[in-house]
Each structure stands twice: as structure tokens, then as C-alpha cells.
Amino acid sequence: MKNKFFIKTFGCQMNISDSERIETVLLSAKFKKVNSENLADFVIVNSCSVRQAAENRAISTLKNAKKNKQVAIVTGCSAVKEKLRFKNFADFVLDIKDLQKWPDIILNKNTLQQDLGSLNYLKFQPKYQTKFHAYVPIMTGCNNFCSYCVVPYSRGREVSRSVKEIIKEVKSLIKQGYKAITLLGQNVNSYSGKFNNQKIDFPALLKIINDIDGDFWIWFVTSHPKDMSLKLIKTIKNCKRVCHYIHLPAQAGNDVILKKMNRKYTHAKYLKLVKSIKKYLPDACLSTDIIVGFPGETKKQFLDTCKLFKEVKYDMAFLAKYSPRPGTISFKMKDDILQDEKKRRENFLNDILRKTALKNNKKYLGKTCEILVEKKDIGRTRTFKLVKFNSDKDLIGKIVNVKITKAMAWILQGEIKN
Ligand code: 5AD
Ligand code: SF4
């Protein structure tokens, strides 16, 4: 019987989280998970359409599956956005919102006629990737329409999950011994729910989750700078489980480019926000996303991004070369920055980043930090810094104290303290 499946996930944590739910639904329909693409009867590609490169990789995985006479299934952002085009590469193009019906669809059972309607797919208990850190979506979609971005088209408008459902999932994770949860949303700061007849915004949700009994850390991504409030910063300060790591995508440092990107903040406003974060959370680590070579970005405009890097002193940055995406507003603008120049700008930012990250990391020297152990010899601080250590014991999933002895730009080294 054909029942073996393999999921290949591209893109962001939201896709990883969706794949965890796909696994649950297929396993409960008696499918079997295999750990290699070659062994599978059904190859499921959870695609990302944020950049052309990720989409190309998804397509080649599908083509490969077809060539090997496997059933090629595609879901995720690319599939939703361009269903017709993806039908050329896959046997099934499925929407995650219909997850409940997938087993019947891919086994060609004709139960679709008595369509039950879609259950909110987030209700499925995910098959989490680890036993100590779980992703918990609090909202999906986005209303911001940054001019370069496909997400509002592929994931649709913002929908917040109910407070009750989120609390239920977090409580169950804590009961199972999870040590960290990451609250997920394209823009967590526009969370809007209700609880006991009261409107719950993101800071209120954080406080509710923080007050759940147990010993766990809370991370969250992603914050849009235009929506990050002083109230949120103060809430983070007052909630002991909420970790001081803030991912705050700037995308660019020049006001003209920011305007063309439809980001709705200026360099000065972003910097003011960073100053507030550093004032209330002096130990906070900051990371960002940057797009280099947006249409028309001059060298001078790019230097404003370099300036921002020197001012903020990021700990980490995810740098991307602008990639024109069909259907977005900026797709109509001329992609006029050459690939080599984009690469040069990326390298330039990376050089600044390496210096600020190293300088920030040196502040950890001699300090003792709690780390959540992720692999045999690597863990993460509450501020999301990787720490390497030596130990004969299996400490995976445990929170241990480590004294930092060496600082490099991308990783710290430390000794376990008893
Ligand atoms: N080209 C390059 N990078 C992009 N991103 C989103 N859309 C594009 C694009 N068209 C980047 C942004 C975003 C991250 C998830 O991906 O920096 O924050
Ligand atoms: Fe895309 Fe902008 Fe929404 Fe982020 S906030 S998902 S970059 S449209």
C-alpha cells in the first residue's frame, strides 16, 4: 500500500509550523512518515514564494518526485498564489486551509462531494519538531502590503487565533515539559483577540501567557517597527518569561526607499524605537531583515542602511538581495541594480554586522548565562545567542548555566557550571 510521505519545507517558521500540522493529519490518517525523500510515495513540498530562489528549489523538488514516479504534492505560499502554474509540476496543489481534507484528496477518495467545510487548520495539534521548543502561531496573514512582498497575497489577510486556543496549546506544551515557545505571526504586534469580553492586544496576550504556571521562556517573531509600542517594550520588561530578543526588520535605512517599500516609518523613527528598546531592555539582542538593491536604490541611499547598522549595532541580520515577485507592487518597478552590486552591498553590511555582533558578544565574557540546550554541545541564551560547550552528559532540552569563556561574532563558547 502506498502510504509513505516525506515533507520538504521551505521558508519561514510559519511554514515549519504548518508542516508540523500536516504531519499530524497524515499520521492520524494512517500515513507513515519517512526520513528520506527517496523512500516516500508522497513527496510534499511546503513552498515559499518570498524569493525566486526558494521557489525554484521547490519546483525542482517536485520535478524530481514526478521523475521518480512519486506523487508530487505542493502546498504553501507559492502553491496558493499560483495554483495553475504549479499544476504543471505537481499532482496535487493543496491549500493548508483545507488540511482536514488532504488524506481523502490525495488518496483520491471522492468524499469531497459531501464537503464538510474547512475546520480552522490551526486547531490540529502539531507534531512538534522538538520536545523542548515549540512554535505557536498566534496569527496568520498580513495586511501591510509592503511593495516587494507576496505574503499578503499568498497567506491572505490577518487573522488572529483565539486567546483560548493559544492558551490551551501553550498549557499543553508546558505540561509536556517544553522549555521555550516562540509565538509566531507575520506581524505579531497587530494581534487582536478577545478574552472574558475584553479586547486583547499583543502586550495583553504576552502577559496572559507569561502568567501561565511553569518554567518556560517566551520568544516571539515578527515585529513590524510601525506597530511596536512602548507598551509592548514595558510589557516585555515586566514579564519575566519573555526573553529579551527582538527581531525588528528594518528592510532599509533610507527614507525614500522605505517609502517606496511602503514600510510606513522613517530611519529616525526606527532609531527612536531602538533607543527605547535599549533604554528599557539594556541587555536586549536585536536582529533585522534587510533587502539590498531595491529598485532604484542608489549607492548613497544604500549608505543610509550602513549608517543604520552602525547606529543600531545589530546582533544578527538576515540579508536578502531584492527579488522581483510577480503580483507585488514593486514588480512593476525596474529591477535595475545588478546582481553583482547587490552582492557587494550584502557583503558590505555583513562586514559591519560581523563587527557589531562580535563587540556585543564580548560583553558576555566572564558572565554566567542560562542556555537552553538544542544539540549535544550547543545551546541558546534567552537573547537567542548560540553557545558551544563541552559535556559528556545528554543535556538536550534542558536549561543549564554556562560561563562564557570565548566570544566570536556568530557564536559564544562556555563552560557548564554546576
Ligand atoms: N526580495 C527579497 N527579499 C524579500 N523579502 C520579502 N520579500 C522579498 C523580496 N521580494 C525578505 C524581507 C522579509 C523577509 C522574510 O524576506 O526582508 O522581512
Ligand atoms: Fe510582507 Fe510587509 Fe507583511 Fe512582512 S509586514 S509579511 S514584509 S507585507
Side-chain angles (χ1 to χ4, degrees):
M1 187 193 157
K2 277 183 153 191
N3 65 354
K4 296 194 270 302
F5 72 91
F6 177 80
I7 308 177
K8 193 155 181 165
T9 308
F10 296 90
C12 64
Q13 291 103 330
M14 195 62 94
N15 267 14
I16 297 176
S17 175
D18 283 355
S19 289
E20 292 176 342
R21 285 182 168 77
I22 296 171
E23 200 173 315
T24 302
V25 168
L26 294 184
L27 289 175
S28 65
K30 303 279 184 290
F31 284 79
K32 270 204 182 107
K33 183 186 169 190
V34 289
N35 290 322
S36 152
E37 213 169 314
N38 300 329
L39 300 175
D41 302 308
F42 300 91
V43 175
I44 300 160
V45 173
N46 195 353
S47 64
C48 166
S49 53
V50 162
R51 269 164 291 207
Q52 187 66 47
E55 196 164 284
N56 292 349
R57 279 189 287 141
I59 291 173
S60 87
T61 309
L62 291 167
K63 282 184 174 165
N64 221 14
K66 277 207 145 186
K67 203 170 81 197
N68 295 336
K69 307 253 174 317
Q70 294 160 302
V71 181
I73 299 166
V74 63
T75 186
C77 299
S78 306
V80 173
K81 219 179 111 248
E82 289 186 86
K83 202 166 171 149
L84 282 179
R85 190 159 77 85
F86 273 81
K87 279 214 166 120
N88 296 322
F89 311 115
D91 299 293
F92 296 98
V93 184
L94 302 179
D95 190 332
I96 190 77
K97 293 194 178 110
D98 298 326
L99 182 57
Q100 187 190 12
K101 304 174 206 160
W102 281 29
D104 284 350
I105 300 174
I106 62 184
L107 291 173
N108 283 318
K109 281 190 205 154
N110 212 1
T111 51
L112 275 182
Q113 280 151 6
Q114 28 172 333
D115 197 337
L116 302 163
S118 305
L119 187 72
N120 167 12
Y121 83 95
L122 290 175
K123 287 214 163 82
F124 290 106
Q125 173 83 21
K127 197 88 189 154
Y128 303 104
Q129 289 202 330
T130 76
K131 298 255 174 270
F132 51 88
H133 175 200
Y135 292 127
V136 176
I138 61 165
M139 55 158 338
T140 63
C142 184
N143 295 350
N144 290 320
F145 290 92
C146 300
S147 64
Y148 50 82
C149 184
V150 289
V151 170
Y153 309 95
S154 58
R155 287 211 172 254
R157 293 306 94 76
E158 283 171 2
V159 182
S160 292
R161 225 176 148 192
S162 80
V163 178
K164 223 170 118 189
E165 208 178 291
I166 297 168
I167 296 177
K168 195 173 149 212
E169 188 171 341
V170 174
K171 279 191 173 164
S172 141
L173 286 163
I174 305 312
K175 217 169 140 194
Q176 293 169 62
Y178 275 80
K179 294 290 188 302
I181 56 160
T182 294
L183 304 175
L184 286 184
Q186 250 75 38
N187 182 11
V188 289
N189 298 301
S190 54
Y191 178 84
S192 168
K194 257 192 174 170
F195 196 55
N196 294 338
N197 272 332
Q198 266 187 322
K199 222 175 149 311
I200 302 293
D201 58 6
F202 184 59
L205 180 71
L206 266 188
K207 171 127 186 31
I208 291 173
I209 298 175
N210 183 73
D211 291 345
I212 295 175
D213 273 344
D215 192 9
F216 61 102
W217 299 354
I218 303 167
W219 285 305
F220 60 89
V221 278
T222 293
S223 300
H224 193 308
K226 81 173 165 58
D227 296 321
M228 183 145 188
S229 60
L230 195 59
K231 180 177 167 196
L232 176 60
I233 299 170
K234 288 183 178 169
T235 305
I236 298 170
K237 187 177 166 66
N238 294 329
C239 290
K240 65 173 188 205
R241 299 191 216 289
V242 180
C243 296
H244 296 181
Y245 164 62
I246 294 166
H247 182 58
L248 197 64
Q251 310 297 0
N254 174 268
D255 290 351
V256 174
I257 296 295
L258 285 169
K259 185 133 199 174
K260 277 167 85 174
M261 286 178 161
N262 193 28
R263 290 293 289 178
K264 303 202 165 82
Y265 52 83
T266 58
H267 184 124
K269 222 171 144 193
Y270 183 95
L271 207 58
K272 193 166 165 232
L273 180 59
V274 167
K275 285 198 174 138
S276 299
I277 294 172
K278 291 193 177 193
K279 178 176 162 201
Y280 287 94
L281 311 167
D283 64 340
C285 284
L286 281 164
S287 64
T288 196
D289 289 349
I290 295 289
I291 298 177
V292 294
F294 186 80
E297 187 187 55
T298 63
K299 288 188 184 179
K300 201 159 166 247
Q301 287 170 334
F302 168 69
L303 287 178
D304 286 339
T305 308
C306 300
K307 186 162 172 264
L308 185 73
F309 264 51
K310 288 178 186 156
E311 290 160 339
V312 178
K313 302 180 179 69
Y314 289 110
D315 292 278
M316 182 43 85
F318 302 91
L319 310 174
K321 298 184 205 69
Y322 172 72
S323 166
R325 310 306 296 131
T328 60
I329 297 153
S330 69
F331 190 67
K332 297 193 194 92
M333 304 174 192
K334 190 161 178 244
D335 179 22
D336 54 357
I337 313 298
L338 295 176
Q339 202 65 6
D340 276 0
E341 176 60 16
K342 285 180 185 166
K343 183 77 216 156
R344 198 188 69 83
R345 292 182 191 182
E346 207 176 52
N347 290 342
F348 207 83
L349 288 178
N350 215 17
D351 285 345
I352 305 175
L353 176 67
R354 192 178 301 112
K355 286 186 197 131
T356 56
L358 178 62
K359 208 164 169 198
N360 293 342
N361 279 357
K362 282 193 174 154
K363 291 185 200 143
Y364 283 75
L365 284 173
K367 288 195 180 146
T368 297
C369 311
E370 282 183 311
I371 59 163
L372 171 57
V373 181
E374 289 184 348
K375 293 184 190 154
K376 193 178 163 290
D377 56 355
I378 293 183
R380 238 178 238 285
T381 63
R382 296 173 68 110
T383 53
F384 223 62
K385 296 271 180 197
L386 285 173
V387 182
K388 203 167 155 50
F389 59 90
N390 275 326
S391 170
D392 304 330
K393 292 189 217 137
D394 176 9
L395 298 169
I396 293 178
K398 296 204 163 59
I399 292 177
V400 296
N401 283 312
V402 168
K403 184 172 179 191
I404 305 301
T405 53
K406 200 171 168 191
M408 287 146 284
W410 313 128
I411 197 161
L412 299 162
Q413 204 165 300
E415 282 161 11
I416 300 260
K417 301 249 296 186
N418 297 320

